[in-house]
Amino acid sequence: MRQTSLPVAGDGLIGERALVTGAASGIGAACAHALAAAGAEVVLADVADATPVAEAIVAGGRQAGAHPVDVTDPSSVATLVAETGPFGIVVNSAGVLTERALEDTDLAQFDRTIDVNLRGTFLVGQATLPAMRTNRRGRFIAITSELALTGRARYSAYVASKAAVIGLVRCWALEFAPHVLVNALGPGPTDTPMLDYEALPDDMRAAETPLLGRIARPEEIAAVAVFLAGPGATFITGQTISPNGGAVFA
Ligand SMILES: NC(=O)c1ccc[n+]([C@@H]2O[C@H](COP(=O)([O-])OP(=O)(O)OC[C@H]3O[C@@H](n4cnc5c(N)ncnc54)[C@H](O)[C@@H]3O)[C@@H](O)[C@H]2O)c1
């Protein structure tokens, strides 16, 4: 029989405690929903208010709570983890997108992009991975981007930040093996507030979706995060898994 719904529900993560950053919106919110649907108790952390997402999860009979965090701020991240950790699963989805030609990118935009996407990943990893090693178990999933694999004109600050996240993941996979598995998840274009897909010119929209003719739903990215967090992914570490609808052959 043809499958029409995503296999994200189930009990594969019962007993797990998961942190999702950037959980107020988009891919992070979808990851929080999907991890909770799979049985995890989820801490939703964001600089924006993630309470509505947490309330929707709880209304569905699963466990979740919202907490403020600014992933660029070490004391904010430390407070979050001290008050809500330790975690068996971390999905770092907090991120910002910068689209600007090189000559028009000012240093403040570059710094902000690197701060949230790279420094944020570094701080969340530093605050959560050592406890995973102590507990001899854990999964860390860093959201990067398909664009880190391809590059893109006018996105150099963003692409550099996301390529650097892949560097962190490769090092951390080595540093925290064998009990902690660390992977990068690099989505292709996904229907979230970050990507104003409808506003893109037709040629760019077509270039975004060469094989499947559509962008991803956040739930399709979250399904990969749940897989990487779950019992089926015990031999995957240091990898960049890119659900991109065939836009990149890696
Ligand atoms: N949407 C796409 O097409 C796409 C493609 C590839 C990768 N990504 C990546 O996926 C991740 C999620 O993006 P999205 O599309 O869901 O975007 P989104 O804008 O819907 O969500 C990003 C979330 O990150 C939060 N955030 C931003 N700065 C923060 C900070 N300093 N501290 C804590 N939270 C912060 C925002 O408040 C927001 O809720 C990002 O890392 C993004 O780069 C998105």
Side-chain angles (χ1 to χ4, degrees):
M1 197 174 80
R2 194 178 171 85
Q3 190 162 357
T4 53
S5 62
L6 289 169
V8 292
D11 58 5
L13 301 182
I14 284 178
E16 296 288 356
R17 189 166 176 80
L19 169 65
V20 181
T21 73
S25 178
I27 291 167
C31 287
H33 272 285
L35 291 166
E41 183 177 352
V42 182
V43 171
L44 294 90
D46 202 301
V47 76
D49 185 10
T51 306
V53 182
E55 285 178 350
I57 291 171
V58 171
R62 300 292 177 158
Q63 296 173 284
H67 299 264
V69 75
D70 178 350
V71 296
T72 70
D73 176 356
S75 65
S76 175
V77 174
T79 300
L80 170 76
V81 173
E83 289 179 355
T84 64
F87 301 101
I89 298 165
V90 173
V91 178
N92 189 67
S93 188
V96 291
L97 180 70
T98 308
E99 186 226 344
R100 199 65 55 104
L102 177 60
E103 58 271 40
D104 299 330
T105 306
D106 66 40
L107 209 47
Q109 290 164 328
F110 178 82
D111 288 346
R112 181 71 189 152
T113 309
I114 296 293
D115 270 359
V116 179
N117 296 352
L118 176 56
R119 176 184 163 102
T121 306
F122 182 85
L123 289 174
V124 172
Q126 198 173 45
T128 57
L129 282 164
M132 289 181 177
R133 177 164 53 202
T134 301
N135 295 335
R136 297 169 68 85
R137 60 192 302 275
R139 304 286 174 87
F140 191 98
I141 298 154
I143 304 294
T144 175
S145 170
E146 162 212 28
L147 296 184
L149 308 175
T150 59
R152 168 146 316 165
R154 300 175 58 84
Y155 286 83
S156 58
Y158 180 75
V159 168
S161 72
K162 292 298 188 179
V165 166
I166 293 174
L168 292 181
V169 161
R170 288 178 177 161
C171 295
W172 290 347
L174 294 164
E175 204 166 330
F176 290 91
H179 301 297
V180 182
L181 308 183
V182 185
N183 289 290
L185 198 175
T190 305
D191 188 11
T192 74
M194 177 179 282
L195 180 72
D196 196 359
Y197 182 68
E198 297 307 321
L200 294 176
D202 284 349
D203 58 335
M204 273 190 74
R205 292 205 295 183
E208 292 276 14
T209 57
L211 295 191
L212 302 191
R214 65 178 179 84
I215 59 174
R217 290 179 282 120
E219 294 77 14
E220 293 176 297
I221 309 304
V224 181
V226 171
F227 168 69
L228 289 173
T234 47
F235 204 58
I236 303 176
T237 194
Q239 305 302 307
T240 301
I241 308 296
S242 181
N244 57 52
V248 183
F249 292 164

